[in-house]
Amino acid sequence: MARKMGFYGVIAYVLYGFAVYWYLFHFADSSLPFEFQGSRADPATFLNGRELMLSEEYSKVRNLLFFLSTPFEWLFYFLILLLGLSKAFKKWGEETAKNKYGQTAIYLIWLSFFAYIATFPLSYISYTLSKTYNISTQSFASWMKDELIDFWINYAMMFVIVVVLYWLMNKFKRFWWLFAWMLSVPFTLFIMFLQPVVIDPLYNDFSPLKNKELESKILDIARQANIPAEHVFEVDMAEKTNALNAYVAGIGSNSRIVLWDTTLNRLNDDQILFIMAHEMAHYVEKHLYIGIAGYLILSLFGLYFVSRLMNWAIKQWGKEFKLQYPGDLRSLPLFLMFLSMIMFAASPVSNLVSRYQETRADRYAIEMTENTDAAISAFQELTKAGLSQVNPPLLVKIFRYGHPTMLERISRLEDYEVEKRNEQEDEY
Ligand SMILES: [Zn+2]
């Protein structure tokens, strides 16, 4: 029976893969609606023929990789259970270590190692793809170093979470999910607080803005929004990518606006000020806190559903999964699989909230800078540098886009310009 289930799982994944491929490459239409053709949102007006073709190709493959990788994770955990590997990892832990912590550590190292090996091909393809299209400029060694840092940070966090989680599962058989959630609140806040000062610097170098002339302009608008100067940083990304970006990270005294140096190198001052004003909106309107609150609410429901699903799955297929009760460490792949499924299912909602915040930030930025030409050309540069799709297929937008599409962002700026002009005419 276990073998049969594994077989069906693989078949289901392959069929899903074909369906996604068909959707992205044959069914979905990412051409521009008629009324936008020739507008400033039309990529044909700011990309050359080669860039147009590359951006379509590159986006399609990237979207395919995105839709393949999360369900691949589910398949991996499913097979780890069915093939008895989870049981074996636990046994290896018990054979090598005396105390519970050591056993958990060893179980986790095996699980993480297998997961890494299984998902490596997809991440490697994704890296080489971005290198082929000249988005990533990172050497293999540097990429691998980032991968290793990822691996160990995830491992360390996972260790803490799993020790506490399984203790709770055994102590509170019915309500472990509630206690786990309660503990996850301070834990999440603590990690968010540490992230920009402890975790992010492991990957890249952060510094105050290097171009002093530009810095004074940026800090000038930051002051208008009451953002202290020591909260604005630039990060050294040029060695890794040609893409442009900026973001807000951290909470409390560690909150900061970070501009990628690629953005600073590639855009002119007016364009940078627009991007900066956009990030300031996130900072001022505390979008990160709203995001965290939303995430915590979601995870309360998520953990509840995971606990129900685990009980149900173990009751149905305990024999095939080699599991008798949820509190057994061997059930971790089941926990991770269901959690990942629920997060994926909820991602359209979190993306929707995020797209709303991004729209607000764009609006704030254009009202502050009032330079639509700079704003629109900044978005055009962003599109060009990342070879991104201006008008992605609907499912891609729903599951992948935390930002509005460039078509929406640029045409809103054009609308703003018209709105502004009409207002001025009214005044005369
Ligand atoms: Zn934003």
Side-chain angles (χ1 to χ4, degrees):
M1 186 64 184
R3 217 182 255 184
K4 215 170 171 181
M5 279 170 70
F7 179 71
Y8 287 142
V10 174
I11 294 287
Y13 180 73
V14 172
L15 289 177
Y16 163 81
F18 278 117
V20 170
Y21 176 82
W22 173 79
Y23 174 78
L24 292 173
F25 284 79
H26 296 289
F27 178 78
D29 179 16
S30 56
S31 66
L32 224 53
F34 176 75
E35 64 269 32
F36 294 104
Q37 281 171 20
S39 75
R40 280 191 281 180
D42 183 349
T45 64
F46 60 89
L47 297 182
N48 63 36
R50 191 183 137 74
E51 287 165 341
L52 266 176
M53 189 198 69
L54 290 183
S55 73
E56 270 307 301
E57 261 180 27
Y58 179 67
S59 311
K60 274 183 184 163
V61 185
R62 276 224 85 90
N63 291 337
L64 180 67
L65 287 174
F66 168 81
F67 280 107
L68 289 183
S69 51
T70 310
F72 182 78
E73 229 175 85
W74 310 341
L75 179 68
F76 167 78
Y77 289 129
F78 189 63
L79 293 179
I80 284 284
L81 286 167
L82 292 175
L83 296 173
L85 281 167
S86 184
K87 190 176 164 183
F89 298 157
K90 194 181 169 200
K91 210 175 115 227
W92 298 343
E94 285 164 355
E95 282 164 7
T96 17
K98 286 232 159 57
N99 69 55
K100 267 225 135 31
Y101 297 113
Q103 290 168 1
T104 307
I106 290 166
Y107 173 90
L108 271 181
I109 206 77
W110 280 112
L111 184 65
S112 314
F113 177 70
F114 270 67
Y116 186 78
I117 297 296
T119 52
F120 184 81
L122 275 179
S123 19
Y124 183 71
I125 289 171
S126 168
Y127 160 71
T128 37
L129 181 79
S130 126
K131 193 123 195 211
T132 312
Y133 284 84
N134 202 24
I135 307 294
S136 168
T137 51
Q138 205 175 2
S139 69
F140 178 76
S142 156
W143 177 74
M144 207 57 228
K145 185 184 149 214
D146 283 357
E147 289 280 293
L148 285 177
I149 300 173
D150 267 345
F151 181 89
W152 289 109
I153 289 178
N154 285 335
Y155 178 76
M157 294 231 272
M158 189 95 134
F159 178 76
V160 177
I161 293 169
V162 166
V163 164
V164 177
L165 184 72
Y166 278 80
W167 179 77
L168 289 171
M169 277 186 183
N170 287 304
K171 184 122 179 116
F172 310 100
K173 291 196 172 52
R174 262 166 69 83
F175 290 104
W176 61 262
W177 55 274
L178 185 61
F179 293 104
W181 180 77
M182 279 155 51
L183 288 175
S184 83
V185 178
F187 185 73
T188 307
L189 293 176
F190 183 61
I191 298 289
M192 295 292 293
F193 179 73
L194 289 186
Q195 193 181 343
V197 282
V198 178
I199 301 175
D200 292 345
L202 295 174
Y203 297 88
N204 300 300
D205 295 330
F206 292 79
S207 62
L209 298 179
K210 287 177 190 139
N211 177 342
K212 290 299 155 195
E213 204 190 312
L214 178 64
E215 182 183 44
S216 72
K217 286 189 195 173
I218 287 181
L219 295 184
D220 216 38
I221 64 167
R223 219 176 348 258
Q224 292 174 39
N226 285 323
I227 300 172
E230 64 273 21
H231 289 215
V232 182
F233 289 80
E234 82 171 75
V235 56
D236 173 25
M237 288 298 287
E239 289 168 20
K240 294 187 176 175
T241 181
N242 282 321
L244 314 180
N245 201 4
Y247 61 91
V248 176
I251 55 175
S253 55
N254 281 349
S255 66
R256 51 179 61 185
I257 293 176
V258 180
L259 299 158
W260 285 15
D261 62 346
T262 47
T263 310
L264 300 173
N265 300 339
R266 183 101 175 237
L267 299 184
N268 67 36
D269 287 7
D270 286 339
Q271 293 168 327
I272 293 169
L273 288 180
F274 174 76
I275 303 284
M276 177 63 192
H278 170 102
E279 299 309 326
M280 279 166 34
H282 288 313
Y283 186 105
V284 171
E285 298 195 349
K286 304 212 179 305
H287 288 165
L288 205 60
Y289 294 88
I290 299 171
I292 297 171
Y295 163 81
L296 288 173
I297 294 169
L298 217 66
S299 64
L300 175 63
F301 289 103
L303 282 166
Y304 168 73
F305 284 121
V306 169
S307 88
R308 296 297 298 258
L309 285 166
M310 279 177 86
N311 290 341
W312 166 78
I314 292 175
K315 213 162 145 193
Q316 288 281 339
W317 300 295
K319 211 170 100 231
E320 287 79 8
F321 289 150
K322 293 139 191 92
L323 294 172
Q324 272 124 35
Y325 61 101
D328 184 343
L329 185 59
R330 274 165 20 191
S331 72
L332 184 61
L334 198 64
F335 175 85
L336 294 173
M337 181 181 81
F338 283 136
L339 193 65
S340 166
M341 285 176 168
I342 286 171
M343 296 299 245
F344 190 74
S347 63
V349 181
S350 46
N351 283 337
L352 191 73
V353 174
S354 163
R355 287 201 299 269
Y356 170 72
Q357 294 180 335
E358 295 299 336
T359 306
R360 285 188 64 98
D362 281 351
R363 180 79 194 193
Y364 178 101
I366 194 60
E367 281 175 357
M368 177 159 215
T369 58
E370 291 202 309
N371 186 344
T372 32
D373 281 335
I376 290 176
S377 58
F379 281 156
Q380 292 174 337
E381 284 298 319
L382 243 67
T383 308
K384 195 191 280 213
L387 287 180
S388 38
Q389 261 171 327
V390 165
N391 186 31
L394 185 64
L395 285 180
V396 173
K397 179 181 155 180
I398 291 176
F399 280 96
R400 238 198 120 180
Y401 273 56
H403 287 76
T405 67
M406 278 301 175
L407 176 63
E408 293 163 333
R409 299 181 86 175
I410 295 178
S411 52
R412 269 181 207 133
L413 288 170
E414 288 191 304
D415 291 348
Y416 174 81
E417 202 174 23
V418 174
E419 207 179 292
K420 203 74 205 164
R421 215 178 300 136
N422 289 343
E423 257 172 44
Q424 276 166 358
E425 277 166 15
D426 286 347
E427 281 165 23
Y428 295 123

